[in-house]
Amino acid sequence: MGQTPPPTPNPLKNIWRPAAVAAAAFLAYANSLHNGFVWDDHLLVENNPALSQPSAVALSFLPASYSRGRHVPGAARPALLLSLIADHNLWGLRPGGYHLTNVSLHVGDSLLAYSLAQSFLAPPAALFSALLFALHPIHTESVDVITFRSDLLACFFLFLGLLAYRRCEGRLKRPAKAGWLFASAACYLLGLLSKEMAITMPALALLADGTIWRRMRSARLRATAVVVYAAVAGAYLAYRFPRADYGAGLRGLWPASVSVARSHPSPPRPEDVPVPQATAYPPSRPQWAAVYRDSVGRALSMSEVFGEYWRLMFLPYGLEADRLAPLARSWRTPGVWLSWIALAAFAGLGLWALLSRRAPLAWGVGWTFIALAPVSNIIPIYNPMAERYLYIVSAGPCWIMGWLWEEIGGHDTYFRSPRGRNQYRVPLFLGGFLVLAAFG
C-alpha cells in the first residue's frame, strides 16, 4: 500500500492576519484623505518648482545643487523628493493623492513590522504588536502631513533592510548570502536618502544578532556586514554634510541651469541667527537659543523630552500638533529626575532581559534606545521635540507589549498552557481588544 500524501498547505490559511493589519492601518488614517496641505506641504509641495522637473533628483547629486544660493528644494532627502515628484505627476496639486501615498506607506510599514515580529513572537502576539503599530496615535503627525512621509519612507527601507539581513543565515549558499547582504545595504542607503534617522540600521542589525536572531551568522559574515554598512554610511555622509546648511532646501534660488515657470513669489531670505540651524526656518526666540548654546541646558531639557517620549509611546494621551520641548535650567528640576529614573528603569529592564535570555524584551528595549539616538540633540537639530520622531522608535514598545501579551498567554501559538487552555485567555483577548480600540 502506498503512503498517504501529506496534506497540501493552504497559502490562504493565515492570510487574514496581514489582511487585518493592512485594514487597521488604512482605516485608522483614511480620514486624512480629505485633508489639504499644511505646514511644510505649502513649501515643498504646493510651491516647489522642482516637482515639475523630474531631472531635479539627478540635479540634487551635482555639486552645484548645494552651493549657496543654488540648490534643489528637498534635495537633502532625494527619496522623499522622488516620491513627491511621482505624486505631482499623478495628482498635480490635488492633496488627496499625496495623502493616499502616505497612508499606503503606513500600511506597508505595518505589514513589515508584522513580518519582523513573526521571527520572534508567536503568531497571535505578532499580530497584536503589528496592530498596535498600525493604530498607534503617535503616528498621526507622520502619516497626516505629506512632507513628513520621510519618516514613513525611512521606516519602510529600515524594516526591509533588516528583513533582508535576516536572510543572510548559515543555510544559504555564499552567492545568496552576498545577494541578501547587498540588498540590505541598498535598503540602508535608500532609508538614509529618505531621512537621517535610518542611520541606526547597522546598530539595530547587530542588536538583532545578539538577541532575537542568535547564531544565525558566522563572525566573518557579520564583520563583512559591518564593513558594507560602514561604506554606505560613509558615502551618505559625504553626500549629506555639504547640504546641511539648507536642509529643507528653501534658501536661495532655483539652479540657473533649470528653466521653470514660477507663478509664486520667491520665499524671503531668513534672518541670520546666532545658533546652529539645519533649515531655512529661524528658530523661536528668545528662550530657545539657550537650548542650542548651552550644552548642559540642552542635556537637561532633552532628559525631560526622552521621558515624555517613553510615556507617549506607552500612554499616547495628550498629543499635540506642534510641541514645545521643556526648558530645564537646573539639575533640581523634578521632571529631569523623574525622566532619569524612568529611563534607568527601562535600561535595567533591558539588561535583565538580556541576561535572563528574554530576547524579545531585550530587543524591544534596545530598539527604542538605539532608534532614539538620532534625535537626542547631541548634534543640534532644528526641532528639539516632535511626535513624528517616534514613528520608527514606536515599533520597540509595540513589540514589547506583544511579548508581554505572549508571556501572559502561555508562549505557544494558541495560548494554551501545558495543562490545557490558559485561564487568562478570555481576559487577555478582551484586554488586548480594549487597548487596540483605545489606540484606534
Side-chain angles (χ1 to χ4, degrees):
M1 295 179 64
Q3 294 182 344
T4 303
T8 303
N10 182 4
L12 301 179
K13 180 179 179 180
N14 294 320
I15 199 172
W16 69 270
R17 291 193 178 99
V21 172
F26 183 85
L27 293 175
Y29 289 95
N31 56 356
S32 68
L33 300 179
H34 303 289
N35 293 352
F37 296 116
V38 296
W39 292 349
D40 293 6
D41 299 346
H42 297 300
L43 301 169
L44 292 180
V45 178
E46 198 173 19
N47 294 313
N48 187 355
L51 300 191
S52 61
Q53 299 287 332
S55 60
V57 176
L59 287 171
S60 69
F61 288 91
L62 298 177
S65 71
Y66 58 85
S67 61
R68 190 172 182 86
R70 292 169 57 86
H71 65 267
V72 176
R77 295 170 179 170
L80 169 64
L81 178 61
L82 183 60
S83 74
L84 294 176
I85 290 175
D87 272 353
H88 186 272
N89 287 325
L90 286 172
W91 312 104
L93 290 179
R94 290 171 290 178
Y98 295 81
H99 286 295
L100 178 61
T101 301
N102 275 32
V103 175
S104 300
L105 282 170
H106 179 58
V107 171
D109 290 339
S110 302
L111 290 172
L112 291 176
Y114 173 68
S115 296
L116 277 168
Q118 281 186 303
S119 66
F120 57 90
L121 293 175
L127 174 62
F128 180 62
S129 65
L131 288 174
L132 285 172
F133 183 85
L135 298 173
H136 207 303
I138 203 67
H139 299 159
T140 302
E141 189 177 24
S142 297
V143 179
D144 285 359
V145 181
I146 293 166
T147 46
F148 292 165
R149 78 167 58 153
S150 53
D151 295 281
L152 310 180
L153 286 166
C155 185
F156 181 84
F157 290 119
L158 192 152
F159 283 170
L160 204 60
L162 288 174
L163 286 170
Y165 178 68
R166 183 175 183 267
R167 298 298 299 270
C168 302
E169 52 186 340
R171 294 191 301 272
L172 297 177
K173 296 180 181 179
R174 287 187 177 181
K177 285 183 184 179
W180 283 113
L181 178 58
F182 284 104
S184 178
C187 290
Y188 182 36
L189 179 60
L190 290 170
L192 288 170
L193 295 177
S194 301
K195 189 171 182 177
E196 303 76 27
M197 286 192 72
I199 195 75
T200 58
M201 197 186 97
L204 294 171
L206 293 178
L207 174 67
D209 276 348
T211 55
I212 55 175
W213 299 337
R214 288 183 175 179
R215 296 182 297 276
M216 290 184 64
R217 271 163 286 279
S218 66
R220 176 179 294 182
L221 181 57
R222 190 175 294 111
T224 303
V226 170
V227 171
V228 171
Y229 289 144
V232 171
Y236 167 75
L237 293 175
Y239 169 83
R240 185 66 176 87
F241 274 165
R243 294 159 173 79
D245 65 329
Y246 67 83
L250 300 172
R251 183 184 290 121
L253 302 173
W254 180 248
S257 59
V258 179
S259 175
V260 57
R262 303 184 66 171
S263 59
H264 59 280
S266 300
R269 184 180 296 276
E271 297 178 331
D272 293 328
V273 292
V275 295
Q277 63 174 26
T279 72
Y281 307 100
S284 303
R285 318 180 185 195
Q287 68 273 23
W288 282 109
V291 177
Y292 297 98
R293 293 180 181 141
D294 180 11
S295 58
V296 174
R298 181 163 66 246
L300 294 175
S301 298
M302 290 308 298
S303 296
E304 282 201 75
V305 168
F306 270 42
E308 180 67 1
Y309 280 163
W310 278 89
R311 184 194 68 80
L312 286 170
M313 286 185 288
F314 287 98
L315 185 62
Y317 176 76
L319 303 182
E320 298 178 18
D322 194 10
R323 283 190 169 270
L324 294 177
L327 292 175
R329 304 181 186 275
S330 169
W331 299 92
R332 295 185 296 272
T333 304
V336 172
W337 284 98
L338 289 174
S339 296
W340 286 347
I341 293 171
L343 294 175
F346 279 113
L349 180 66
L351 181 60
W352 169 78
L354 190 62
L355 295 176
S356 61
R357 296 186 178 274
R358 288 171 169 80
L361 178 58
W363 162 250
V365 173
W367 173 286
T368 308
F369 277 107
I370 293 173
L372 270 174
V375 291
S376 62
N377 216 4
I378 295 174
I379 299 175
I381 55 179
Y382 174 71
N383 290 309
M385 183 180 188
E387 291 176 6
R388 64 182 178 274
Y389 296 160
L390 300 181
Y391 187 84
I392 295 174
V393 183
S394 64
C398 291
W399 289 325
I400 290 173
M401 288 188 276
W403 169 83
L404 181 62
W405 207 64
E406 180 182 281
E407 285 290 300
I408 299 173
H411 297 277
D412 66 8
T413 302
Y414 300 103
F415 288 87
R416 296 176 185 270
S417 67
R419 299 186 185 90
R421 188 178 296 275
N422 191 290
Q423 59 179 325
Y424 301 113
R425 190 171 187 266
V426 173
L428 183 71
F429 277 87
L430 179 60
F433 174 79
L434 292 176
V435 171
L436 292 173
F439 275 32

